[in-house]
Amino acid sequence: MTDNKTLPAEISTLYIVPTPIGNLGDITQRAIEVLSNVDVIAAEDTRHTGKLLAHFNIQTKTFALHDHNEQQKAQVLVEKLQQGQSIALVSDAGTPLISDPGYHLVKQCRQAGVRVVPLPGACAVIAALSASGLPSDRFSFEGFLPPKSKGRKDKFLEISKVERTCIFYESPHRIMDSLDDMLSILGPDREVVLARELTKTFETIQGLPLGELIEWVKSDENQRRGEMVLLIHGHREEASDELPEEATRTLSILVKELPLKKAAAMSAEIYNLKKNALYKWGLENLS
């Protein structure tokens, strides 16, 4: 048996420890060391986490902390930390607090002056975004989509004019309904990426205009299974062919004294427009 206890955990410290979202090889050496050396591991599901700990020969005791008891149990953990214990917070997979429990515990720790140390690691949102091909300079993670159709449509309407990439989690049994609701609000041309089963054997990342993506998902039942991330390209203003009224009025005046081509070039320079567009407008409207 391998002894993972190489570095002592610091006293009175809460560690936020990401765990693999699928591939166990994605756990970090630092995460293994922290989990091996803290006094307690606060876990969303102790049975689920127990399997991970067993795989890495980690024998640290666990404490159940989930959505249904976090507000009541957080203070118990804060008291343990204040007494000098070290605690690692984990969720079932990925980074705690990202659509997982932990917010109330971290908030109470910070309010109590307890040190909170985050470890970098697996996160489905970031993994999906990095491989999506969508703009990543500005994005927002919106959590799970609402379970009801009206709520989903309201959410899609809310983001319909947002220019940043928007990211959602969705469950396999609602994926088709959600895509259909998205289609009714955002239309068939919006680029959407479905990232499914990330880091696992049947990982799939497919990006298409929404209308085509729906047909692709419908055609393959396997694409309606597993853990899913939906990424939606931000709103883009359609290029307008309409010329400013001031520019066409100026062109109309200049063309009385100059050839159309010259008048169009001068008007384009004045208003920072394309001269071909003004020339075309002149041919259609001033001839």
Side-chain angles (χ1 to χ4, degrees):
M1 179 180 293
T2 301
D3 182 3
N4 288 316
K5 296 197 174 185
T6 56
L7 293 174
E10 296 188 30
I11 64 170
S12 300
T13 300
L14 175 68
Y15 294 91
I16 312 299
V17 183
T19 53
I21 58 176
N23 190 320
L24 292 178
D26 290 336
I27 198 167
T28 67
Q29 182 61 38
R30 186 182 177 197
I32 292 174
E33 291 174 354
V34 168
L35 293 174
S36 299
N37 286 279
V38 292
D39 297 297
V40 178
I41 297 171
E44 182 179 5
D45 183 332
T46 54
R47 290 171 298 179
H48 181 92
T49 298
K51 296 176 184 177
L52 177 72
L53 300 180
H55 179 84
F56 290 104
N57 299 319
I58 297 170
Q59 299 176 6
T60 308
K61 63 183 179 181
T62 57
F63 180 102
L65 188 79
H66 45 73
D67 283 329
H68 304 295
N69 75 352
E70 184 184 355
Q71 293 192 53
Q72 293 74 36
K73 296 295 186 180
Q75 186 56 40
V76 174
L77 293 176
V78 171
E79 290 171 2
K80 289 179 181 292
L81 288 158
Q82 290 174 323
Q83 292 164 7
Q85 293 193 32
S86 57
I87 297 176
L89 173 66
V90 300
S91 60
D92 287 348
T95 300
L97 282 80
I98 310 301
S99 278
D100 280 326
Y103 164 73
H104 296 287
L105 175 60
V106 171
K107 182 180 179 181
Q108 289 189 37
C109 282
R110 294 193 63 82
Q111 289 174 340
V114 172
R115 186 178 181 216
V116 179
V117 175
L119 274 63
C123 178
V125 175
I126 301 304
L129 178 64
S130 68
S132 68
L134 298 185
S136 57
D137 55 332
R138 292 179 62 218
F139 65 93
S140 63
F141 173 55
E142 306 285 338
F144 277 93
L145 281 165
K148 302 293 184 181
S149 178
K150 183 183 185 305
R152 289 193 295 267
K153 288 180 178 179
D154 287 345
K155 174 57 71 172
F156 294 139
L157 188 62
E158 177 187 321
I159 69 162
S160 61
K161 299 297 183 182
V162 167
E163 296 181 355
R164 63 184 177 271
T165 298
C166 291
I167 308 173
F168 297 90
Y169 285 159
E170 187 51 293
S171 61
H173 69 276
R174 287 200 300 260
I175 185 63
M176 289 311 307
D177 290 338
S178 290
L179 290 174
D180 287 340
D181 288 337
M182 192 187 303
L183 180 67
S184 70
I185 302 299
L186 302 182
D189 298 325
R190 183 70 70 100
E191 187 177 357
V192 177
V193 174
L194 173 63
R196 189 185 67 86
E197 290 292 84
L198 291 173
T199 80
K200 300 175 185 175
T201 303
F202 299 106
E203 175 182 278
T204 307
I205 303 172
Q206 178 66 285
L208 290 166
L210 180 54
E212 296 179 32
L213 183 67
I214 289 174
E215 293 306 312
W216 180 78
V217 175
K218 283 181 178 177
S219 70
D220 185 354
E221 184 179 347
N222 289 323
Q223 304 309 326
R224 287 168 263 157
R225 297 173 177 167
E227 303 287 335
M228 298 183 175
V229 184
L230 283 170
L231 305 96
I232 303 172
H233 198 297
H235 174 70
R236 289 176 286 190
E237 292 288 349
E238 297 294 330
S240 175
D241 293 330
E242 187 174 345
L243 294 168
E245 184 179 347
E246 307 85 32
T248 57
R249 185 168 63 248
T250 299
L251 178 59
S252 300
I253 295 170
L254 290 177
V255 80
K256 293 176 182 179
E257 304 294 334
L258 299 169
L260 176 58
K261 189 172 184 180
K262 180 66 173 176
M266 291 181 66
S267 299
E269 186 173 352
I270 293 169
Y271 295 101
N272 194 28
L273 299 169
K274 293 182 178 179
K275 63 182 180 182
N276 288 343
L278 281 162
Y279 182 72
K280 181 181 178 183
W281 184 91
L283 287 175
E284 294 173 351
N285 295 276
L286 300 176
S287 299

